Structures are given as structure tokens and as C-alpha cells.
Amino acid sequence: MAASSDRNPPPFPSSEEPEAGLSDMADGDSDEGEDIFVNNSNPVAVSRGVSQPDGVNEEPPDLFSEEEASNPITKSNGVHSDDDNDLFAEAHVELSTDKSGNSSGKDLSSVSGPRTTSSFNQSPASMQPTSLEQLEEEEAKDSFDVDVAVTNPEKVGDGMNAYMAYKVSTRSSLPMFRSKTFSVRRRFSDFLGLYEKLSVKQSLHGCIVPPPPEKSVVGMTKVKVGMDDPSSVEFVERRRAALERYIQRVVSHPSLLQDPDVREFLERDDLPRAVNTQALSGAGFLKMINKASDAVNKMTIKMNESDTWFEDKFQEVENEEQQLRKLHALVDSLVNHRKELCGNTAVFAKSMAMLGNSEDNTALSRALSQLAEVEDKMEQLHQEQAASDFFIFAELLADYIRLLGAVRGCFDQRMRAWQRWQEAQSTLQKKREAEAKLLWANKPEKLQQAKEEITEWEARVTQYERDFDRIGMTVRKEVLRFEKEKAKDFKSQIIKYLEAMLQSQQRLIKFWEAFLPEAKAIA
Amino acid sequence: MMQEGLDDGPDFLSEEDRGPRAVNVDLQTDATLQVDISDALSERDKVKFTVHTKSTLPNFKQNEFSVVRQHEEFIWLHDSFVENEDYAGYIIPPAPPRPDFDASREKLQKLGEGEGSMTKEEFTKMKQELEAEYLAIFKKTVAMHEVFLCRVAAHPVLRKDLNFHVFLEYNQDLSVRGKNKKEKLEDFFKNVVKSADGVLVAGVKDVDDFFEHEKTFLLEYHNRVKDASAKSDKMIRSHKSAADDINRIASSLYTLGTQDSTDLCKFFLKVSELFEKTRKIEARVAADEDLKLADLLKYYLRESQAAKDLLYRRSRALVDYENANKALDKARAKNRDVLQAETSQQLCCHKFEKISESAKQELIDFKTRRVAAFRKNLVELAELELKHAKGNLQLLQSCLGVLKGNT
């Protein structure tokens, strides 16, 4: 809670995008033409409120130490020697500065040389006031120009080896892509594979990597076996929508978008099969997070936080996760009851029709048949409402429960970094003591080695300290960005949910208005 | 009683429910004899109804008076009608079902036991819900007992019944004990015989077209009403469950909203408030559907059974009449006990004709009542659905206006 007082909501620039656009987000949209979802012909803007009309292209004063600029390769996202495009080389350099500094989505389009950096070497705590505000301003000025959609699930193959292939379409004017619009076919394990690669690289830096949807053996088996029942259809739709949201979150993250694995995922026609995705099933993912927490809990040296921001924020995140879990369970219950209501209404409608048939007063008989029709329409409404409950509300909560887990993972990464630094320091201490002993024991050959080791460890300590500071900065920035995204996401989704409810009520009114004269006509 | 209003607790006593609660039956209120249940008290295992009578008839000592009656005394009155041969030709108004608060009471008890495990707000909320449910059941049982009395009071013959007058006026306990085991067993066998007979009798084709049609009609109608009644109950229960879920979601959103004072938290609070109000409306929709649709069906289930019983009695009388004819023929053939046979035959004939005559009128009245009751209830149902949907719509529109304006 203390953190919130440090963090004033940034003044929204007046040219902030209208929220109405957000409510059209493709999250719950289905290509299968459900009434309530707007059928988007274009992949919808990915930017969840962080978009900004172009033209704002200031260079922020760099706040962070740029010693790392000398080591671009180690800090950037690994790989990339196969890229012969100048663009990428530049981007890497940009990236390294990004890693430790501000997000700079806007810099994607303006590939200038490495920016001039001002040296700056303060501890996070003292930098707090200015840096946070400036971080927030940076966030607000980011602009994204990537739209991704996941559509057209198609079954490939037969029997137990069958799988669902999804079309991943990208539309972007960013120069880093080969063309403006393109699409590829991907399967579920490809998405998991992308996550694995990203989390291995990025989470070490304190980045919040969005987690993919969970595996489901039962669900997939039914699909493989070829059952065309409504629950299989719903399963595929649920997965498609979840994959779409996942990839949208990935590309809307400025650092992740730069990652060549992401680009490869979006562009490359033939992606090598991802193996070892078992670890990333729902249970596996949780296990990974919990393993990290366990490691942190086992730390014998307790961290002395100079800045309570991290502790407070972590607590907040844990609380929120708990609350969301509770809420999710409730929404799930609502979905089930509505489905039940749906079924019962259909059955009742039929029963009413039968009663109308046997009624021998003509007018009453007709009215009862009309009532049966109204109830039939109500069933339709309940069905749509249940879908809305699920796809808009419940899935939103499920996504954020997973995301909060990823946030916790971030914090743990920071602790690990601190742990590494502390351990290095104690090793250095030991080396110094050993050197002292050697001096006293007068063994000149070993002394040289000891001195070398001390230098090596001194460098390491400095390195790890910087890593720790850097990761702290990243975590902070990431959390701020996450919170903004989350607020926008929740608001837009819940508004969408309420709008669906509103439409439902309007239709309900029409049905009963049509029935009323029939009832009055009974004589 | 609670006022109507979107912000108040669930309102189960709206304007249409005050006054004579003869919801399911269209009865003309007749100044010569008006009966209603003016008050009711729920004690641990019984309900005490205050039966209030206003009458200009000379039979009664006063013009206006009240007595306290319990459910068993209603049943006694009903049974006395059924057992009275003179009333064989009438549709006996169905007995009100026994007040059943067991389920509700159990839930309240469970809540009390689980008080420690939930927050104070949650407890208060659930308690209010359960109390509302209890009140709704209570209101219903009062209505059903009242309808029974009103039907009797509106019936040209039954209203004159002596037992009825005693029931209305005698201000002491009628000492009507519930049936003991032996009597219950007797009843059981009577019913078995009746259903066996019913099968026999149903097989006999009636000469009279009117009654033949009615028989076919009632058999089918009764079954379908039974089906519709059961299914409407299930549907409404699901509706209530969904409303309950929304209630809990509202609480959960409220908790989320009070964690902090960010924009998002304020947003949550607003949505929570909306859901609170919405679910109150949903609960009332379910309650109104219950009253106007489910209860209507239940009532006509019982009435159609009473009509079937009438037809059965008539058929029985017909069979007796035919048997008496045969006996007379036999007696005449043997020229023995002819007078006795003649008397017997005449009695049977008279009885049968009397029943047939009144039954015809009763069945016509039944149809009229039924059509009127359905009309009234369906119109009211549609109007209430519209009212609630519009209320919901307004809430959603204003909330969305605020939410969109703020973001």
C-alpha cells in the first residue's frame, strides 16, 4: 500500500486514445459468429491503452548507468548473429540500453545510432522520485504498431497424432518485419515453446513474461478423437481466444517485441517443433514459479530492503492474486448456474408448449404457446449471457491470475540476483582472508594466484551489484507498466461485459413487450 | 412490510399482493361473505393464521370477527367436504399444502453455526438473504391458505356449510387432531381403491359428449400441468442460484475495490455496487416468476386433480346407477324384492343426475376461472418482467455512463 503513495497516476496526455476502441478488442471475439461478439474483420489494435499518436518523439534523459553499453551482446536477447540486417544490429544496441533504461517503443521506428547517454550511478532508493515519474511518462509515450490475431483453428491429421493449427496473422508497419501483413500457421506447442524461450531469457532480467494458456489433456483428447459436441467447440474457441490474448500481450511488451524469437514466431513459415513443453503445462508453470519462491524462502540471509517499495508491492500482488482466485471461482459458479438455467428454461419451454396444446380455450392456448416461444428466446439469451460471463469475465480473471504469478516470479528473480551478489561478496571476503593468510605464511607463488582471484571476484561483485540494481529497475518499470495494462484491460473488458448485459436486457424487453398483448388478448 | 424501491431489500409484498391475495383464482368479492387471512405468526413448528371474516349473513353472531387457525384445521375442513356425499357433485377446492419451512430453517441454522468462518459483512448479507427467503415462503403459505378459504366462501353451496361456519367463527381450538396411523392407512387404501376404480371408470365411454370430452381433456391437462409445474420450479431455482452468485461476486469486487484508492479500485467499487442492485432485481424476477407462473401452475395442478376427482365421483355414481338398473331388471325377472330394487335404482338415478347437473356447471366454472386466472397472471408476469428488465437496463446504462466517462 505504501507504494501507491509514491506512484501518482500519470497525467494522461490529452491525446490519449478513446476507450471505445478498446472495447472492441479481439479478446473474446470468435470467428464462429456468436451474436454477442463483434466480428472483427481486422485484427484489432493490440495496444492496450498505451498507444499514442505519433509525433511524440522526445529523447528522455537517460537516467541509468550505461556501462553495459560496452557489452551489448551479453545484455541483449541472445542469438542474432544470423541477422544480416543493419536494422537489427542497431536494434540490439538500442535494446541493451533499453534493458536497463526506459522503454522506448517509439525508438523502434527511428533507428538512430546509439543514443548519447549520461552517466548516472545512484542507488535505486535515492533515484526514486524522479525516476518513477519519468518512467511513467515514458510509458505513456510509447506507441505500438503491431496487430496480431489468432484465427481459423483447423484440425490437422487424424487420431491421437492430430493437432489444432491456428492462423497467426500479423499486421505491422514496423520496419523490423519483412512485410506489412503476413500470416503463419502455428500449433499450441509452438506458443508454449515461445514462452519457454522468452522466460529463459527475459525473466532473468526481471521482465514480466506473459504466461501462455494451460495445457488440457482432456480437452485436447476430445478434439483429437473428433468429437464435435458443443463442449469441444467451446474448448477450441476458448483456447484460440486465450492464445490470441497471449500473443497480443507479448507483442505489446516493448522489450519482448524486440526479441528475435518473437519475430521468428510471427514470421517464419516453418518453425522447428518445440520439445519439452511438458514443463509448461499449467501445473508445470506453477511448479516453476513455486520453485523460485522456495529458493527465495530458503535464503538464510534476509535482504535488508532500503526501499520498502518491493516488499509492499509483493504483498499487494500476493493479496490481489488471492482475491482474483476467489472471484474467479465465483464467476465460474455463475457460468455453471446460467448454463443450468439455460437447460432448464429450454425444458420448461417445451413443457409449456405441450400445455398450450392441451388447453382447450383457443386464446389461452395461443398465449401459452407464445409464452413457450418467449421462454425459448430466454434460453438463447441465457446461453449468450453464460458465454459472455465466461469468455469476457472468467477468462480475464484467469489470465490475470497467471500474470500475477509471473509478476511474483519477477520479484523472485530480483531476490536471486541479490542472493548472487551477496554470495559473491562473501566469496570475495573469503578470498581476501585467504590472501591475508598466504601473506603471513609467505608463499609468493600462491599469492599471485590469490591476487588474481581477488581481482576476478571484485569484478564479479561489481557486476552482480549492477545486475541487481538493474533488475530492480526493470522490475519496477515492468510492474508499473503491468499495472497500467491491467487497469486498462479490466476496465475495457468489464465495460464490454456490461454492454453485453445491457444488450441482453434490451432484447428481453422486446420479447416480453411482444408477449404482453397476447396475454391481454386471452378471453 | 418493505416498501417498493430498487434500493431496498427484496420486496416481496408489492401493491398487487396487498389485500385479498387471491392471486391464482379470479373471485368476485361478495359483500355477504368476505374471508381473508389478516395475520399470521410462525412459531417453531407451526403457523398460526388469523382468519378474518366480514359477513352480513344472519348465521353469524357478529358482522366481523376473527379466529386463529392452524394448518390441520384447514385440512379437517377440506376433508369434511370431500367426505360429504352431498358435495359429491362439486369441485372441492384443493387443500392448501402444508407449510414447509424445514429447508429454510435448516439453512438459517447452518448459517448460525458457520458464523465464525465468515466476515461480518458476509454473515449479515447471507442472513438477510435467508430471512428474505423465509419471508417469501411464509407469504406463499399464507396466500395458499387464504385462496382455499376464498374459494369456499365464493362457492354458492359450500359457503353455507356448517363446518365452514364453525371454522370461521368458533373461537376456540377445534381440537382437530391430525389423522392417526389407522386413519392414515384407511386413507391410503381409499386412494388405492380410487385409482384402481379410476382406471376401470376411465375405460367406460361416457354417453354424454360433454363429459367424455372433459374426461379426455382433464387427464391430459392434468399431466401436462404437473410436468410444467415441476419444470418451472427447476428453472426458477437455477435463476435464484445465479442471482446468489452475482451477490457473492458483488461482495468479492467490493473487497478488491477497497484494497486501495486507485482508479481501478474505484472502478471495482462502482461495478460492485451495480451488481448488488442488479442481483436484487434478478432475485425479484425469480420471485415474481415463482408467484405468477410456478404457483399458478401448482394451483391448477391441484384444481385439475379436484376436477378429476369430481369426474371420478360421477363415474362411480354412473356405475352404481347402471348396477342398480341391472339389479332392478334381475329383481323384476325373479319378481323378488322389486320395491327395494326400485327404490335403490331411483336413489342411484337421482344421485347420478344431481351430480351430473352440478358437475357440468362446476366444470364450466372451472374453465372460466382457469382462463381468467391464467390471463391475470400472465399479464402480470409480463408486466413485471418488463418492469424489472427496464430497471436493470436503466441501472446498466447509468453505470456504463459513469464508468466510460471516468476512464
Side-chain angles (χ1 to χ4, degrees):
Chain A
M1 297 297 173
S4 60
S5 53
D6 299 330
R7 183 170 47 85
N8 300 316
F12 278 74
S14 54
S15 43
E16 191 76 23
E17 77 295 344
E19 284 300 318
L22 288 173
S23 61
D24 285 339
M25 267 205 240
D27 272 2
D29 287 39
S30 155
D31 289 334
E32 275 84 281
E34 275 199 75
D35 271 345
I36 131 184
F37 300 118
V38 172
N39 213 342
N40 282 336
S41 45
N42 309 318
V44 187
V46 163
S47 53
R48 290 145 178 280
V50 208
S51 70
Q52 185 69 4
D54 299 320
V56 186
N57 207 0
E58 304 165 4
E59 293 273 57
D62 275 51
L63 303 171
F64 304 102
S65 150
E66 294 307 325
E67 280 87 325
E68 292 84 71
S70 55
N71 286 337
I73 304 305
T74 52
K75 295 301 171 298
S76 66
N77 296 315
V79 187
H80 333 309
S81 40
D82 49 348
D83 290 319
D84 39 33
N85 200 332
D86 239 10
L87 217 58
F88 293 138
E90 302 275 56
H92 295 169
V93 176
E94 300 284 278
L95 205 49
S96 62
T97 55
D98 288 350
K99 267 279 123 279
S100 50
N102 310 321
S103 68
S104 42
K106 60 192 181 314
D107 289 322
L108 298 176
S109 37
S110 62
V111 187
S112 47
R115 303 198 303 267
T116 49
T117 65
S118 48
S119 279
F120 214 98
N121 204 353
Q122 297 180 1
S123 68
S126 58
M127 279 168 49
Q128 189 179 344
T130 34
S131 66
L132 278 175
E133 276 168 27
Q134 277 175 307
L135 278 178
E136 288 162 14
E137 277 177 34
E138 298 313 304
E139 292 298 333
K141 287 172 201 156
D142 286 341
S143 78
F144 292 94
D145 189 11
V146 189
D147 298 338
V148 187
V150 175
T151 55
N152 301 65
E154 264 171 27
K155 188 159 152 207
V156 176
D158 269 318
M160 286 315 286
N161 290 329
Y163 62 90
M164 273 298 188
Y166 302 87
K167 180 171 163 194
V168 180
S169 320
T170 317
R171 194 186 61 182
S172 168
S173 62
L174 294 178
M176 70 191 224
F177 293 115
R178 270 185 245 123
S179 52
K180 289 225 188 299
T181 52
F182 49 92
S183 71
V184 290
R185 293 201 75 78
R186 294 280 178 259
R187 53 187 290 186
F188 184 66
S189 54
D190 294 334
F191 289 82
L192 291 185
L194 174 66
Y195 173 72
E196 184 176 26
K197 292 183 193 148
L198 288 178
S199 65
V200 162
K201 284 184 279 177
Q202 299 286 2
S203 59
L204 291 176
H205 302 298
C207 201
I208 300 175
V209 181
E214 280 138 20
K215 265 190 169 185
S216 164
V217 178
V218 174
M220 260 330 272
T221 313
K222 272 166 85 176
V223 171
K224 287 183 200 206
V225 165
M227 288 173 65
D228 245 340
D229 61 306
S231 71
S232 293
V233 171
E234 193 181 287
F235 172 79
V236 172
E237 171 53 27
R238 179 184 181 181
R239 176 165 278 195
R240 183 210 64 80
L243 289 173
E244 190 172 75
R245 291 194 303 274
Y246 163 65
I247 202 70
Q248 281 172 346
R249 286 199 179 101
V250 169
V251 301
S252 67
H253 191 298
S255 315
L256 293 181
L257 181 58
Q258 295 300 309
D259 190 316
D261 279 323
V262 171
R263 230 177 300 130
E264 186 181 64
F265 180 87
L266 292 174
E267 270 189 329
R268 187 162 164 181
D269 282 321
D270 238 322
L271 205 62
R273 273 278 318 263
V275 295
N276 291 335
T277 53
Q278 286 90 346
L280 297 164
S281 64
F285 173 71
L286 266 178
K287 239 194 279 177
M288 209 164 66
I289 298 278
N290 290 334
K291 227 171 28 170
S293 327
D294 284 341
V296 169
N297 289 337
K298 290 199 189 101
M299 268 171 33
T300 46
I301 320 163
K302 260 310 163 195
M303 185 165 172
N304 186 10
E305 288 277 13
S306 50
D307 177 8
T308 54
W309 186 90
F310 287 96
E311 245 170 60
D312 293 341
K313 193 51 81 171
F314 187 73
Q315 197 58 49
E316 251 182 63
V317 166
E318 274 194 329
N319 284 345
E320 192 165 5
E321 195 178 332
Q322 211 179 26
Q323 289 297 331
L324 287 186
R325 274 186 203 279
K326 204 168 136 197
L327 184 57
H328 183 253
L330 291 174
V331 176
D332 241 355
S333 173
L334 176 63
V335 171
N336 287 334
H337 282 136
R338 258 208 240 274
K339 285 189 174 158
E340 206 181 86
L341 175 59
C342 197
N344 288 342
T345 307
V347 164
F348 174 67
K350 288 198 182 69
S351 182
M352 232 26 208
M354 295 285 278
L355 185 64
N357 274 346
S358 55
E359 174 57 62
D360 58 0
N361 176 299
T362 339
L364 179 54
S365 171
R366 191 173 54 237
L368 289 174
S369 304
Q370 296 283 35
L371 181 64
E373 269 180 45
V374 170
E375 292 294 339
D376 240 343
K377 292 187 187 138
M378 299 282 277
E379 184 231 339
Q380 184 70 15
L381 275 185
H382 291 315
Q383 181 127 336
E384 288 170 12
Q385 185 65 57
S388 166
D389 291 341
F390 181 73
F391 282 106
I392 304 181
F393 203 1
E395 288 285 83
L396 170 75
L397 295 170
D399 277 357
Y400 273 91
I401 291 170
R402 276 199 298 272
L403 277 165
L404 285 172
V407 174
R408 272 194 296 125
C410 254
F411 278 83
D412 290 337
Q413 292 294 350
R414 177 175 168 271
M415 293 302 257
R416 292 265 209 80
W418 182 83
Q419 202 177 11
R420 244 175 280 135
W421 175 32
Q422 296 302 308
E423 282 168 7
Q425 273 187 329
S426 80
T427 310
L428 177 63
Q429 183 64 22
K430 287 198 191 101
K431 297 284 177 195
R432 286 201 172 125
E433 284 168 5
E435 186 206 27
K437 275 202 196 121
L438 286 176
L439 266 173
W440 200 80
N442 199 12
K443 292 203 178 127
E445 340 72 53
K446 289 212 177 132
L447 203 58
Q448 181 57 28
Q449 186 189 3
K451 281 208 196 296
E452 281 172 6
E453 281 181 2
I454 286 176
T455 321
E456 180 195 332
W457 278 95
E458 275 174 348
R460 282 207 193 165
V461 165
T462 320
Q463 178 69 40
Y464 290 162
E465 183 179 0
R466 282 200 207 110
D467 282 349
F468 172 68
D469 288 343
R470 188 174 39 83
I471 205 181
M473 281 276 109
T474 309
V475 166
R476 235 189 181 126
K477 183 184 73 168
E478 285 285 291
V479 168
L480 281 177
R481 184 184 160 273
F482 171 75
E483 285 183 339
K484 261 181 83 170
E485 290 267 306
K486 181 182 72 167
K488 293 221 147 77
D489 224 352
F490 266 87
K491 284 180 187 173
S492 81
Q493 288 299 89
I494 289 182
I495 284 178
K496 192 167 160 186
Y497 180 62
L498 295 180
E499 281 175 343
M501 276 175 77
L502 193 142
Q503 280 176 5
S504 199
Q505 291 298 313
Q506 282 169 332
R507 285 165 66 193
L508 208 147
I509 288 175
K510 282 209 181 68
F511 298 154
W512 287 103
E513 275 178 347
F515 174 72
L516 189 55
E518 287 289 338
K520 287 187 168 159
I522 301 171
Chain B
M1 288 294 184
M2 302 177 217
Q3 297 105 345
E4 236 181 357
L6 289 182
D7 293 329
D8 295 344
D11 175 3
F12 293 117
L13 196 65
S14 52
E15 272 109 40
E16 55 261 20
D17 286 343
R18 297 198 184 103
R21 295 187 201 85
V23 198
N24 296 324
V25 196
D26 188 33
L27 299 169
Q28 299 90 350
T29 39
D30 183 348
T32 53
L33 181 60
Q34 278 180 35
V35 185
D36 66 274
I37 295 184
S38 58
D39 199 2
L41 200 64
S42 171
E43 290 181 1
R44 203 155 44 91
D45 56 352
K46 54 190 170 217
V47 181
K48 291 197 168 134
F49 303 95
T50 304
V51 179
H52 167 249
T53 314
K54 253 174 152 168
S55 173
T56 55
L57 292 175
N59 320 49
F60 300 110
K61 292 196 201 75
Q62 297 164 297
N63 280 355
E64 190 170 349
F65 47 90
S66 292
V67 295
V68 176
R69 291 283 172 252
Q70 292 183 34
H71 175 73
E72 287 74 22
E73 292 163 309
F74 285 76
I75 300 302
W76 165 82
L77 183 61
H78 171 264
D79 290 348
S80 75
F81 291 151
V82 170
E83 285 157 13
N84 190 331
E85 287 281 323
D86 288 343
Y87 301 146
Y90 307 123
I91 296 181
I92 309 294
R98 195 180 74 86
D100 184 11
F101 295 101
D102 289 343
S104 194
R105 225 174 262 136
E106 208 180 285
K107 278 196 219 168
L108 267 170
Q109 196 171 21
K110 257 198 227 158
L111 179 68
E113 285 164 7
E115 184 173 351
S117 67
M118 52 180 94
T119 68
K120 190 159 179 290
E121 291 93 25
E122 281 176 347
F123 178 74
T124 321
K125 231 189 185 181
M126 286 207 68
K127 187 154 170 281
Q128 277 176 355
E129 268 173 52
L130 286 179
E131 283 175 349
E133 202 180 289
Y134 193 93
L135 184 66
I137 299 176
F138 187 69
K139 237 189 58 161
K140 263 211 231 185
T141 193
V142 167
M144 291 195 269
H145 283 76
E146 190 180 72
V147 159
F148 170 71
L149 292 178
C150 291
R151 278 270 278 121
V152 175
H155 194 283
V157 174
L158 294 176
R159 76 203 319 230
K160 298 186 197 142
D161 183 86
L162 188 61
N163 283 335
F164 183 48
H165 291 182
V166 168
F167 177 94
L168 289 176
E169 206 179 14
Y170 186 62
N171 56 12
Q172 311 244 341
D173 193 352
L174 290 175
S175 296
V176 169
R177 56 176 173 70
K179 293 191 170 163
N180 63 21
K181 263 201 196 136
K182 178 163 170 284
E183 284 164 340
K184 282 194 183 152
L185 208 60
E186 281 173 2
D187 270 354
F188 174 72
F189 279 120
K190 262 197 232 160
N191 279 331
V192 169
V193 168
K194 191 166 100 179
S195 13
D197 257 352
V199 172
L200 234 91
V201 157
V204 174
K205 183 157 176 15
D206 205 312
V207 170
D208 189 330
D209 276 342
F210 174 81
F211 284 105
E212 183 58 29
H213 167 82
E214 285 299 306
K215 192 167 65 176
T216 325
F217 164 73
L218 271 174
L219 275 171
E220 191 185 63
Y221 188 80
H222 177 78
N223 286 336
R224 293 194 178 173
V225 160
K226 195 187 229 173
D227 190 50
S229 172
K231 305 223 161 115
S232 75
D233 275 346
K234 267 183 108 175
M235 178 180 82
I236 291 167
R237 259 204 301 275
S238 299
H239 206 149
K240 284 198 182 126
S241 300
D244 283 343
D245 282 334
I246 297 179
N247 194 16
R248 283 184 215 113
I249 289 173
S251 298
S252 182
L253 280 172
Y254 181 79
T255 313
L256 269 170
T258 49
Q259 297 290 340
D260 207 340
S261 56
T262 59
D263 263 1
L264 183 61
C265 285
K266 290 198 195 104
F267 185 89
F268 282 149
L269 286 175
K270 199 83 194 56
V271 177
S272 163
E273 193 187 321
L274 170 73
F275 280 176
E276 265 294 336
K277 295 192 178 140
T278 279
R279 83 99 199 160
K280 275 187 189 141
I281 295 185
E282 285 303 313
R284 284 163 74 189
V285 170
D288 285 338
E289 285 176 347
D290 201 13
L291 278 172
K292 304 295 173 189
L293 199 50
D295 277 356
L296 175 71
L297 293 169
K298 274 198 205 76
Y299 185 80
Y300 277 94
L301 174 63
R302 296 201 300 276
E303 272 260 0
S304 59
Q305 181 63 47
K308 274 171 72 182
D309 288 346
L310 170 62
L311 280 182
Y312 164 76
R313 289 194 294 269
R314 180 180 167 277
S315 296
R316 249 255 82 81
L318 177 60
V319 168
D320 287 345
Y321 178 33
E322 286 175 350
N323 287 343
N325 272 340
K326 287 190 196 131
L328 181 59
D329 286 343
K330 240 175 47 187
R332 282 194 178 140
K334 288 189 185 156
N335 205 5
R336 208 174 12 158
D337 298 321
V338 173
L339 190 61
Q340 194 182 16
E342 272 178 355
T343 331
S344 169
Q345 191 256 23
Q346 267 173 8
L347 272 172
C348 286
C349 174
H350 176 74
K351 183 174 168 194
F352 173 68
E353 280 171 356
K354 182 168 160 239
I355 288 182
S356 285
E357 193 185 313
S358 59
K360 193 165 194 167
Q361 189 55 48
E362 287 282 298
L363 288 168
I364 292 171
D365 287 346
F366 171 60
K367 199 178 303 279
T368 318
R369 271 202 313 276
R370 184 176 78 245
V371 172
F374 267 79
R375 182 186 189 282
K376 179 169 186 278
N377 280 284
L378 290 180
V379 167
E380 284 175 359
L381 175 70
E383 286 172 347
L384 283 167
E385 292 269 3
L386 279 170
K387 175 175 145 197
H388 293 318
K390 286 180 180 158
N392 247 343
L393 186 67
Q394 201 177 30
L395 277 177
L396 282 164
Q397 277 168 338
S398 77
C399 184
L400 273 168
V402 171
L403 291 177
K404 279 175 158 170
N406 276 349
T407 51

